[in-house]
Amino acid sequence: MADHQESTLTLPGAPESVAAARRHVSAVLGAWGLDRAAPLTDAVRLIVSELATNAVRHTGGTSPYFTLALRLDRDETLTAGVTDRDPRPPRRLAADLCRDGGRGLLIVGLLAAESGGEVTTVAEPGGGKTVRVRLPWPPAGV
């Protein structure tokens, strides 16, 4: 296998793009040999769903699109990142039982930690940011 495999998809900053991002994750991970029912597939779908939702809902109209990037390095590390044009870093909101949202970054952090990974946010040179999650890739047959 090559040293790495990559997939990038740019989508409009619209609610229906979140489902398209999830479908893309399923298709790409399946093509890379990960079973659609594997726990890692579910975790990455949910992580990407939360990050894409944030890119749609919390960019204040500064990001008409977002980009989903998936990268598998040497069958060891999977990186999933969502880039938007809003320069503000993401922030966790205080817990509030009356609020419907605000738990996305908490969910992403917990899923990453549970899978042995990490979450980082990187400012992009031309403006905007990428929220990136690095996860260990499972051994063959998992």
Side-chain angles (χ1 to χ4, degrees), residues 31-58:
W32 291 350
L34 190 62
D35 188 300
R36 288 181 185 255
L40 182 61
T41 302
D42 287 339
V44 176
R45 266 194 307 255
L46 183 51
I47 286 167
V48 166
S49 184
E50 292 296 335
L51 295 178
T53 298
N54 285 351
V56 170
R57 292 180 71 191
H58 301 295

Side-chain angles (χ1 to χ4, degrees), residues 11-23:
L11 294 163
E16 57 273 10
S17 293
V18 176
R22 280 193 304 269
R23 287 190 300 273

Side-chain angles (χ1 to χ4, degrees), residues 11-141:
L11 294 163
E16 57 273 10
S17 293
V18 176
R22 280 193 304 269
R23 287 190 300 273
H24 184 73
V25 166
S26 294
V28 169
L29 296 185
W32 291 350
L34 190 62
D35 188 300
R36 288 181 185 255
L40 182 61
T41 302
D42 287 339
V44 176
R45 266 194 307 255
L46 183 51
I47 286 167
V48 166
S49 184
E50 292 296 335
L51 295 178
T53 298
N54 285 351
V56 170
R57 292 180 71 191
H58 301 295
T59 57
T62 61
S63 190
Y65 60 87
F66 66 90
T67 300
L68 164 62
L70 300 169
R71 180 179 171 110
L72 176 58
D73 288 307
R74 296 186 184 96
D75 278 348
E76 295 173 359
T77 305
L78 174 67
T79 304
V82 173
T83 302
D84 64 50
R85 302 296 305 152
D86 189 339
R88 296 173 297 168
R91 62 184 178 90
R92 282 190 193 169
L93 299 176
D96 183 346
L97 295 176
C98 297
R99 186 177 23 238
D100 286 338
R103 295 172 192 84
L105 289 176
L106 175 63
I107 291 168
V108 168
L110 290 171
L111 285 168
E114 184 178 273
S115 299
E118 63 182 0
V119 180
T120 57
T121 301
V122 178
E124 292 298 321
K129 66 184 169 302
T130 299
V131 180
R132 205 171 277 135
V133 179
R134 291 175 45 99
L135 303 166
W137 185 255

